[in-house]
Amino acid sequence: MFNEKMEKMPRNKLDELKLKRLKKIVRYAYDNVPFYRKKFDEAGVEPTIKKLEDIEKLPFTTKDELRKNMPFGMLAVPKDECVELHSSSGTTGIPITVCYTRNDLEVWAEVMARSLSMAGLTKKDIFQIPVPYGTFTGAFGFHYGGQKVGALIIPTGKGDSERQIRLMEYYGTTFIAGIASYAIHLGQTAMKMGIEPSELNVRNGIFGAETFTKEMKKRLSKMWDMDVHDIYGLTEMCGPGVSADCDTHDGLHIWEDHFLPEIIDPDTGDVLGREEEGELVLTTLTKEGMPIIRYRTRDITFLYDGTCECGRSHVRHAPIKGRSDDMLIIKGTNLFPGQIEDVIMKDERVSENWLMVIEKENDMDMVTVKIESRKKIGDDEANKIAEDIRKKIRVATTLNMNVEILPPDTLPKSEGKVKRVIDRR
Ligand code: DLL
């Protein structure tokens, strides 16, 4: 363990620490961020916390509110106290910008070092980071955490997949990180180059940034013959490093000394209990640059009850099911794209590249799932696979969808977060 004392801290001690930090951060946000002072005053709440449950009295913070105060309106310190800036991609609106003080970077490196060590990274590893170095938080998070662990980092950055594979071969990379769909693409690229990814030296990988289903994890693990870990995080909190899974692979441990989790009913805002699925709400407990109180992540999950056999005391959440705004309503039925992915990926005849297109036909929702076959095949076989998958999707979701099996290499590829849904309704 990277920080055994903190990772195994007994529950009562951890709760004491959380309470101490919560009291401080709520007061700090109120005193230093005009947005919070106004918000609390308008809601008629005092910035005083006596017990952990008092957090429930405080109002939520939403992405729209952050957007209205971008780029620097949410800062609790003058800009000159900050030493680095990151932002979300902003494809759906104004990018969310986060400024880090030196101490914020130190905390980020610490939670990343814990997450990476938990996934098996040691100072003996050759750690390749095929993630864009830029305003996206991914690469820098892995970089700072990897440095803290003491691994030898190869900062290969964005794209150029053939070169990524050549460098893996040349340097004997043992550990990779990033976005799962890109790691799949890298594996496919290696195969095209006549190299079996499983024969490279890579034995461990940690991925996140997008829905990461169980079946995709299995595929990735088999393709590279590596242990696959899931890491979660978001720009608003720091980037990757809010939580990650241990070798038990049963839920992701949230680093509770820095991030306080709650699960709420996304419709009513009521706080839900352990094992009850809802929207994850996070409060930063130690952020100096941009503290956030009760942030609605829109990510759907639940908190586990009970302790983990790995010995870490920090609470686990289930792998993210999807974002509440990714949830589709098809003919009145709620559907997350991950549910489709889990069905498709069980069929060894198809590749990992797939897409769903939703259209209206005579006022009815019509979904077409397009999947690449693993190898070139004839029409009869393609139709048979399509029919098999269509039936399985129906059993899993109760919905009838069109399924099309396409030849390999026909769907668009992405080096960043993958887009699985085209909604033309
Ligand atoms: O994606 C940070 C990150 C980079 C995490 C690399 C892990 C690895 P954002 O661009 O702000 O930050 O996007 C955050 O991505 O609210 C989730 O919806 C989704 N997400 C992140 N990690 C996971 C995961 C980075 N492990 C948004 N599983 C979050 C599912 C994830 N979804």
Side-chain angles (χ1 to χ4, degrees):
M1 280 187 207
F2 182 77
N3 183 346
E4 188 163 338
K5 186 165 169 245
M6 193 49 87
E7 292 175 49
K8 285 187 157 176
M9 184 175 264
R11 172 54 45 192
N12 59 343
K13 286 266 177 299
L14 190 53
D15 282 345
E16 264 171 39
L17 178 67
K18 282 163 61 185
L19 179 59
K20 191 170 134 213
R21 290 184 170 174
L22 182 65
K23 284 181 182 172
K24 195 167 155 198
I25 202 81
V26 169
R27 169 53 71 183
Y28 175 75
Y30 184 83
D31 288 345
N32 295 287
V33 186
F35 165 82
Y36 279 115
R37 177 174 289 257
K38 185 159 174 270
K39 200 172 166 76
F40 289 9
D41 287 351
E42 276 172 9
V45 292
E46 294 284 322
T48 348
I49 298 281
K50 294 205 175 72
K51 50 186 190 311
L52 281 171
E53 294 72 38
D54 288 347
I55 195 176
E56 294 175 22
K57 298 185 309 201
L58 304 177
F60 296 115
T61 306
T62 64
K63 197 176 204 116
D64 278 344
E65 287 172 324
L66 296 188
R67 282 212 175 102
K68 285 193 189 116
N69 290 284
M70 288 291 112
F72 302 121
M74 295 297 295
L75 294 190
V77 296
K79 268 205 292 301
D80 55 10
E81 297 282 320
C82 295
V83 294
E84 191 164 318
L85 171 157
H86 284 279
S87 69
S88 62
S89 60
T91 42
T92 53
I94 299 165
I96 302 293
T97 305
V98 172
C99 292
Y100 304 66
T101 63
R102 264 184 214 292
N103 191 57
D104 292 339
L105 287 185
E106 182 47 43
V107 169
W108 191 19
E110 159 78 23
V111 290
M112 282 304 295
R114 287 187 208 168
S115 305
L116 289 164
S117 302
M118 189 158 70
L121 189 78
T122 70
K123 67 189 298 297
K124 291 201 169 71
D125 276 297
I126 301 179
F127 179 22
Q128 187 162 332
I129 307 182
V131 185
Y133 278 73
T135 48
F136 176 57
T137 53
F140 282 92
F142 292 120
H143 194 100
Y144 295 145
Q147 274 188 338
K148 213 171 167 67
V149 172
L152 177 59
I153 293 172
I154 318 178
T156 44
K158 182 174 191 270
D160 205 346
S161 307
E162 286 198 14
R163 179 170 167 269
Q164 299 275 1
I165 300 296
R166 289 279 170 238
L167 293 181
M168 279 181 199
E169 241 186 339
Y170 185 60
Y171 292 120
T173 301
T174 56
F175 199 110
I176 56 174
I179 302 180
S181 50
Y182 188 60
I184 293 275
H185 175 64
L186 277 181
Q188 292 168 342
T189 305
M191 288 187 242
K192 273 190 217 141
M193 293 163 70
I195 299 169
E196 267 307 313
S198 59
E199 279 165 22
L200 291 166
N201 280 352
V202 179
R203 286 299 155 263
N204 259 317
I206 186 163
F207 308 95
E210 62 185 15
T211 305
F212 190 12
T213 56
K214 201 165 136 211
E215 292 302 322
M216 194 59 100
K217 284 175 189 158
K218 277 194 204 156
R219 287 236 175 172
L220 201 47
S221 171
K222 192 168 164 211
M223 176 184 249
W224 288 87
D225 184 19
M226 67 176 169
D227 195 14
V228 169
H229 284 262
D230 189 343
I231 181 159
Y232 168 79
L234 56 163
T235 312
E236 295 85 331
M237 292 293 117
C238 61
V242 170
S243 61
D245 67 346
C246 61
D247 283 338
T248 319
H249 295 299
D250 186 16
L252 289 79
H253 290 277
I254 304 182
W255 303 120
E256 285 182 82
D257 50 329
H258 297 292
F259 309 103
L260 192 151
E262 298 169 86
I263 300 288
I264 62 161
D265 177 325
D267 297 326
T268 63
D270 292 343
V271 175
L272 302 177
R274 293 288 158 112
E275 310 278 338
E276 281 186 298
E277 186 177 275
E279 178 181 343
L280 178 64
V281 168
L282 291 167
T283 296
T284 63
L285 288 178
T286 49
K287 265 292 188 86
E288 292 177 346
M290 195 172 126
I292 307 189
I293 310 294
R294 302 197 89 197
Y295 185 60
R296 291 193 60 160
T297 65
R298 307 193 206 178
D299 292 320
I300 305 297
T301 183
F302 59 87
L303 296 179
Y304 284 42
D305 210 359
T307 50
C308 183
E309 60 190 56
C310 77
R312 292 179 181 84
S313 50
H314 296 242
V315 70
R316 286 168 295 163
H317 68 84
I320 303 293
K321 184 170 174 187
R323 296 172 62 83
S324 53
D325 36 5
D326 285 346
M327 193 186 76
L328 300 161
I329 302 182
I330 311 280
K331 297 179 192 157
T333 301
N334 296 351
L335 180 83
F336 283 100
Q339 289 171 265
I340 302 292
E341 182 167 284
D342 263 338
V343 174
I344 303 172
M345 290 303 117
K346 285 201 180 101
D347 194 315
E348 284 295 325
R349 297 167 296 180
V350 297
S351 89
E352 297 74 20
N353 308 333
W354 72 278
L355 182 72
M356 61 198 279
V357 182
I358 312 163
E359 283 155 322
K360 276 261 185 235
E361 245 179 53
N362 304 327
D363 270 348
M364 288 277 277
D365 297 330
M366 194 44 83
V367 183
T368 306
V369 181
K370 297 171 187 261
I371 321 163
E372 287 179 9
S373 59
R374 208 185 263 289
K375 358 183 244 248
K376 277 204 181 115
I377 49 171
D379 286 351
D380 286 352
E381 195 180 347
N383 290 338
K384 186 173 175 321
I385 301 174
E387 183 55 18
D388 287 351
I389 293 183
R390 196 189 66 74
K391 282 188 194 143
K392 288 189 184 131
I393 291 177
R394 192 177 150 72
V395 171
T397 67
T398 72
L399 291 163
N400 266 321
M401 299 187 186
N402 298 321
V403 176
E404 282 176 19
I405 303 297
L406 306 172
D409 277 333
T410 38
L411 292 173
K413 303 280 173 313
S414 139
E415 288 171 357
K417 300 193 190 216
V418 69
K419 194 168 165 48
R420 300 281 189 204
V421 181
I422 299 180
D423 197 338
R424 299 208 179 107
R425 286 176 294 182

